[in-house]
Amino acid sequence: MAIEASLSPPPNERFAKALQFIEEMTKNCDKVQEKVLAEILAQNANTEYLERFNLGGATDRDSFKSRVPVVTYEDLQPEIQRIANGDRSPILCSRPISEFLTSSGTSAGERKLMPTISEEMDRRQLLYSLLMPVMNFPDEAILCVDSFQSMYTQMLCGLLMREEVLESAPVFASGLLRAIRFLQINWRQLAHDISTGSLNPRITDPAIQARVAKILKPNPNLAEFITKECEGENWERIIPRIWPNTKYLDVIVTGAMAQYIPLLDFYSGGLPKPCTMYASSECYFGLNLKPMTKPDEVSYTIMPNMGYFEFIPHDPANPVQLNRDSPPRLVDLADLETGKEYELVVTTYSGLCRYRVGDILRVTGFHNSAPQFKFIRRKNVLLSIDADKTDESELQKAVENAYELLREFDTTVVEYTSYADTNTIPGHYVIYWELLVKDPFNAPSDDVLEKCCLVMEESMNSVYRQCRVADNSVGPLEIRVVRNGTFEEVMDYAISRGASINQYKAPRCVSYTPIVELLDARVLSAHFSPTAPHWTPERRV
């Protein structure tokens, strides 16, 4: 087991306590995990869910692992829905459910509800306390349910306090790019408000109006500055130009978010993009102890006090078979092996027991006795027409490879999603692209976009290429270029159906008919792979 050196000396007493806490947790990883599981089982012993498995008050690992099954959200959805409908009996958790956190949704834009107790929020706040918060927007703007009013007010406040902004910290990289796009569309009205000291009449929320009235005063000089920076349509380095004291972008750029790095660099002038925390709606997991590491080298250290963690070995060639009637013996946090991949399973104080999060992680090393992980991908397959199966990481790599052909045309893929179109015979992959063409006189031609289709197909796995070449069970890949702003409309639709605006990220695959119809209604041009990708039969022994 690799042991990493202790963290560097702290700059002050507050940081010293935080670093000491991290050291204590990671040096006693297995003991902390054993204590956490015992606390969770004792706290929730009398819940309806745990009583099904006849634990009889046992809080030890062996009883837990031998009797409690591994489950998915679909398994727990009936219980979660009862809680959401107002049933206050101890169903999953003995403590009152204080709120629900919503996941970023599925391909159909549907949200998952994750029950949370107040003590869990305190535990998550403890994890946040290990980071340095530097900037907050008015609560009224953040809590407003109208996405336009919320975004407009936060942008207005950001412009008014432009020299006080030290970081940009949406959850996902796509959120920051959406904010820049919002500024591109609305800068004239924002400058008008700042010049006159009056608020856009589209902002009708009384709480926002009252709060903004306290800080919005006529400032013609600032309005003139914003106009000068935005009117020329030169958006390169717009972040440091408008917010000159920004030190870094605190956004998630690992996993599927890595595709946004080139565009973030364009808008920020290459500002650092520290990845600070690994978290989800189900549980907050851990920290990146080296936050300034390059995004493709980021590893997270799971804090063993946040929940009880188990792991399913992930080997696509030899998948683990899970049986509810005979719960499997999963791998504990302290027993993981460097270089191997695992699927994360979590048990939380809020009542999730042996819950499959769906994340695939690779162990990169250890900090003391606590494993460090690189996030690899979500487990679920995105696209499949026949025997082919394409996951999120494969699709992302294919988009990245095709994007290389667009560089000489100064064009960027702003956003993308996919669709397995089985209306054709044979079915085929459809990739929706929203492009940022920085020079309309040097836009990529139809031939270039057709080559992008072929490059994507060449990037797919051998089964996909066999289906294309030998079996003819999958048709040529298609890229449909959609007009600018299309993915904002997709987000607005998802939010209207209950998705969380703070956690929303564009789905990498869609199947829900209204979303597919929305995308198809915004198509500017369609392009197909001009020929089949390369494939040769593999000799098998």
Side-chain angles (χ1 to χ4, degrees):
M1 180 175 68
I3 302 295
E4 193 174 273
S6 296
L7 298 175
S8 25
N12 58 44
E13 184 177 351
R14 181 167 62 88
F15 288 167
K17 291 181 178 179
L19 295 181
Q20 181 181 359
F21 178 79
I22 293 172
E23 291 295 291
E24 290 174 355
M25 291 295 102
T26 57
K27 284 180 178 178
N28 302 289
C29 178
D30 197 51
K31 289 184 178 179
V32 173
Q33 281 281 276
E34 191 173 27
K35 178 182 177 183
V36 165
L37 179 61
E39 289 177 350
I40 292 172
L41 294 179
Q43 175 180 301
N44 296 324
N46 297 322
T47 59
E48 178 183 313
Y49 185 75
L50 281 183
E51 284 185 342
R52 295 177 191 170
F53 309 116
N54 300 314
L55 286 172
T59 61
D60 60 286
R61 283 177 173 173
D62 287 339
S63 298
F64 174 74
K65 288 176 176 286
S66 63
R67 299 181 186 180
V68 180
V70 175
V71 297
T72 64
Y73 182 80
E74 287 68 28
D75 295 322
L76 298 180
Q77 192 169 20
E79 285 80 11
I80 291 175
Q81 195 59 53
R82 284 173 55 197
I83 299 170
N85 290 341
D87 190 333
R88 297 188 178 185
S89 57
I91 300 172
L92 296 176
C93 181
S94 64
R95 306 290 172 86
I97 300 301
S98 59
E99 61 184 296
F100 283 92
L101 297 180
T102 57
S103 72
S104 54
T106 66
S107 59
E110 299 291 346
R111 60 180 177 174
K112 293 180 180 180
L113 297 175
M114 295 299 168
T116 304
I117 58 177
S118 59
E119 294 92 333
E120 185 73 1
M121 298 306 295
D122 293 341
R123 190 172 289 102
R124 296 178 181 195
Q125 188 58 43
L126 171 63
L127 198 63
Y128 269 116
S129 72
L130 303 178
L131 305 172
M132 184 175 64
V134 292
M135 179 66 184
N136 289 309
F137 285 106
D139 291 343
E140 292 84 353
I142 296 172
L143 297 175
C144 179
V145 296
D146 184 289
S147 61
F148 175 84
Q149 295 190 62
S150 175
M151 181 76 80
Y152 190 94
T153 309
Q154 292 185 60
M155 182 61 71
L156 180 63
C157 293
L159 294 172
L160 291 171
M161 299 181 286
R162 57 181 290 268
E163 295 186 356
E164 300 174 43
V165 175
L166 302 181
E167 69 166 357
S168 178
V171 178
F172 296 110
S174 54
L176 178 55
L177 296 179
R178 176 174 166 82
I180 297 299
R181 175 63 179 165
F182 189 90
L183 179 61
Q184 290 176 327
I185 296 171
N186 296 285
W187 68 263
R188 291 179 177 83
Q189 182 62 48
L190 289 159
H192 175 270
D193 291 4
I194 293 171
S195 178
T196 61
S198 60
L199 185 60
N200 186 337
R202 290 183 63 184
I203 308 304
T204 58
D205 187 290
I208 289 181
Q209 291 176 334
R211 182 63 181 270
V212 173
K214 297 178 181 179
I215 60 174
L216 180 58
K217 310 298 178 185
N219 190 338
N221 291 336
L222 177 57
E224 182 180 354
F225 168 80
I226 293 168
T227 300
K228 179 181 177 182
E229 294 297 330
C230 297
E231 66 180 351
E233 298 301 321
N234 174 22
W235 293 91
E236 187 171 3
R237 300 187 69 256
I238 192 65
I239 292 175
R241 280 161 43 200
I242 290 185
W243 296 281
N245 295 316
T246 305
K247 306 301 182 186
Y248 57 90
L249 309 178
D250 187 2
V251 294
I252 295 175
V253 289
T254 54
M257 294 292 113
Q259 60 136 342
Y260 298 111
I261 293 174
L263 204 53
L264 289 174
D265 286 339
F266 174 77
Y267 288 132
S268 73
L271 283 173
K273 294 171 283 294
C275 300
T276 56
M277 184 182 294
Y278 174 35
S280 74
S281 302
E282 296 90 342
C283 183
Y284 281 28
F285 304 111
L287 301 169
N288 177 11
L289 301 183
K290 295 181 178 179
M292 302 311 290
T293 302
K294 293 180 181 180
D296 60 349
E297 299 175 358
V298 166
S299 288
Y300 297 99
T301 303
I302 288 188
M303 296 298 291
N305 61 307
M306 297 304 297
Y308 184 68
F309 304 108
E310 298 175 275
F311 299 84
I312 303 171
H314 180 71
D315 181 0
N318 186 27
V320 174
Q321 300 298 323
L322 299 180
N323 187 342
R324 284 182 62 92
D325 297 328
S326 179
R329 184 83 183 187
L330 306 187
V331 182
D332 286 320
L333 184 64
D335 296 331
L336 301 180
E337 298 180 46
T338 301
K340 292 190 176 181
E341 292 185 2
Y342 300 88
E343 179 187 347
L344 176 60
V345 176
V346 64
T347 297
T348 71
Y349 287 87
S350 299
L352 297 179
C353 285
R354 310 196 89 183
Y355 177 90
R356 299 178 71 168
V357 176
D359 290 355
I360 303 299
L361 309 175
R362 180 183 299 131
V363 182
T364 58
F366 288 79
H367 180 76
N368 294 321
S369 63
Q372 297 182 306
F373 299 91
K374 179 181 178 65
F375 176 85
I376 302 301
R377 59 187 174 275
R378 293 288 293 175
K379 182 176 184 294
N380 296 336
V381 170
L382 287 184
L383 293 166
S384 180
I385 296 291
D386 189 67
D388 58 294
K389 287 181 172 59
T390 300
D391 63 25
E392 184 172 328
S393 63
E394 289 176 321
L395 178 61
Q396 180 184 328
K397 186 63 177 176
V399 171
E400 290 174 348
N401 291 343
Y403 167 70
E404 292 298 321
L405 298 182
L406 303 179
R407 288 185 181 275
E408 65 177 285
F409 301 96
D410 208 13
T411 295
T412 301
V413 179
V414 175
E415 190 59 274
Y416 75 91
T417 191
S418 62
Y419 170 58
D421 187 350
T422 56
N423 294 319
T424 60
I425 301 174
H428 70 292
Y429 289 5
V430 175
I431 314 299
Y432 296 94
W433 273 9
E434 183 174 328
L435 300 178
L436 174 63
V437 181
K438 301 181 181 111
D439 182 2
F441 297 100
N442 188 37
S445 65
D446 290 348
D447 287 343
V448 170
L449 291 169
E450 288 178 2
K451 289 179 182 177
C452 288
C453 295
L454 181 57
V455 167
M456 290 192 68
E457 290 200 302
E458 294 284 7
S459 304
M460 300 297 182
N461 59 55
S462 62
V463 176
Y464 171 90
R465 288 180 281 116
Q466 177 183 340
C467 290
R468 278 280 284 120
V469 176
D471 302 339
N472 293 316
S473 59
V474 175
L477 182 143
E478 177 185 5
I479 290 177
R480 296 178 187 172
V481 178
V482 298
R483 74 187 188 195
N484 289 344
T486 295
F487 280 86
E488 293 180 42
E489 294 183 61
V490 173
M491 189 197 84
D492 291 339
Y493 181 83
I495 291 172
S496 74
R497 291 177 58 81
S500 166
I501 186 172
N502 290 327
Q503 292 189 310
Y504 176 84
K505 57 181 180 291
R508 287 294 165 251
C509 182
V510 295
S511 59
Y512 190 54
T513 300
I515 295 181
V516 175
E517 291 177 346
L518 188 160
L519 289 164
D520 283 339
R522 308 299 186 268
V523 171
L524 299 175
S525 61
H527 313 270
F528 289 87
S529 184
T531 186
H534 176 76
W535 178 80
T536 55
E538 296 179 5
R539 179 169 301 195
R540 301 181 184 278
V541 178

